[in-house]
Amino acid sequence: MEKSSKIILFAGGNLGSWALEEIHEDDFLVGVDRGALFLIQNGRRPHLSIGDFDSVTSDEQEVIRQNSEEMRSCDPVMKDLTDTEMGLLWALEQHPAEIVLVGALGSRFDHTLANVQLLSKGLKAGILCRIVDEKNQIMLVTNRTVLRRSGFSHVSLLPLTETVSGITLSGFQYPLDKATLRMGDTLGISNVLIAETGTVSIEDGCLIVIQSMD
């Protein structure tokens, strides 16, 4: 796999036609559990399907097997990782330029929160990872990052660590200059990008940066 490549993980949470719009010609597609079936049902062949496949029927699992370039399955009981973490760890081992997770948000808040925290593994590996759904884009920031509007005009900042200090924002309706956010603070909620790009810089800690359409 080329270093410049992008891996898209299709997990089993909320998915729709918007998710297919994330795909570009050279992207490597990973179907995670039921996310693999979604790809196949929408005319896409996963390069890899991975998981315990406990959210599909035996017939659907066979469809996944026959329509994937590679399939890796595990016991649904005797495992320590979620399917999404299994897929992400595999993707990180390929050293792509970027990993995008779709279907990582859904009705199970425990899985949603766990998937947001999974982005920290991308930080440690030095690989850009982001979660995308129909209305939001989520990433983690520990230094300086340039955000692009791309339809996501609203931006919220939430501390992932107890304290995040030295927060400076430029290109936003409400700028900050070396501000501090502590867990539980709502100062960073619902800012607005006033230009096509904006910059988020921090000196210490880790921010969850959520871009939303409205």
Side-chain angles (χ1 to χ4, degrees):
M1 180 176 296
E2 295 294 331
K3 177 65 177 176
S4 61
S5 64
K6 180 177 72 178
I7 297 177
I8 307 181
L9 271 65
F10 283 77
N14 294 337
L15 289 167
S17 58
W18 58 267
L20 301 172
E21 295 173 5
E22 287 292 319
I23 302 174
H24 294 88
E25 183 178 356
D26 296 326
D27 293 341
F28 193 97
L29 306 182
V30 177
V32 178
D33 202 273
R34 192 168 185 83
L37 185 64
F38 171 83
L39 282 169
I40 293 164
Q41 289 175 335
N42 284 276
R44 298 286 184 166
R45 183 178 178 87
H47 295 93
L48 172 68
S49 294
I50 190 169
D52 57 24
F53 300 100
D54 64 349
S55 63
V56 298
T57 66
S58 56
D59 287 344
E60 289 172 335
Q61 187 169 346
E62 186 57 30
V63 169
I64 294 171
R65 188 183 309 279
Q66 292 179 6
N67 291 277
S68 303
E69 292 188 10
E70 181 183 355
M71 183 172 179
R72 298 187 183 190
S73 59
C74 66
D75 188 287
V77 178
M78 301 301 291
K79 68 170 190 175
D80 295 324
L81 309 179
T82 65
D83 293 331
T84 304
E85 183 173 3
M86 289 170 54
L88 179 62
L89 291 178
W90 179 90
L92 289 171
E93 290 174 354
Q94 313 313 307
H95 305 290
E98 180 181 11
I99 299 172
V100 178
L101 290 82
V102 297
L105 309 178
S107 59
R108 284 285 300 271
F109 183 70
D110 52 348
H111 282 272
T112 293
L113 188 57
N115 289 340
V116 172
Q117 292 181 346
L118 277 180
L119 296 176
S120 63
K121 294 184 181 295
L123 278 181
K124 292 176 182 177
I127 296 172
L128 174 63
C129 292
R130 55 190 175 96
I131 292 173
V132 177
D133 76 356
E134 188 174 13
K135 298 288 187 179
N136 306 280
Q137 177 172 267
I138 304 169
M139 65 184 72
L140 301 184
V141 172
T142 57
N143 42 47
R144 181 182 184 276
T145 298
V146 176
L147 303 181
R148 302 186 182 280
R149 285 175 61 97
S150 302
F152 299 105
S153 59
H154 287 67
V155 180
S156 290
L157 311 177
L158 291 168
L160 184 61
T161 50
E162 179 88 18
T163 302
V164 183
S165 59
I167 304 169
T168 299
L169 303 180
S170 62
F172 288 80
Q173 183 173 347
Y174 308 106
L176 292 175
D177 183 23
K178 297 187 181 302
T180 296
L181 284 177
R182 295 176 176 84
M183 198 168 288
D185 290 348
T186 58
L187 175 66
I189 296 295
S190 202
N191 209 328
V192 180
L193 278 169
I194 57 176
E196 284 304 308
T197 62
T199 301
V200 179
S201 300
I202 69 174
E203 294 176 356
D204 188 63
C206 182
L207 279 177
I208 302 172
V209 177
I210 304 169
Q211 291 183 254
S212 303
M213 287 188 177
D214 51 28

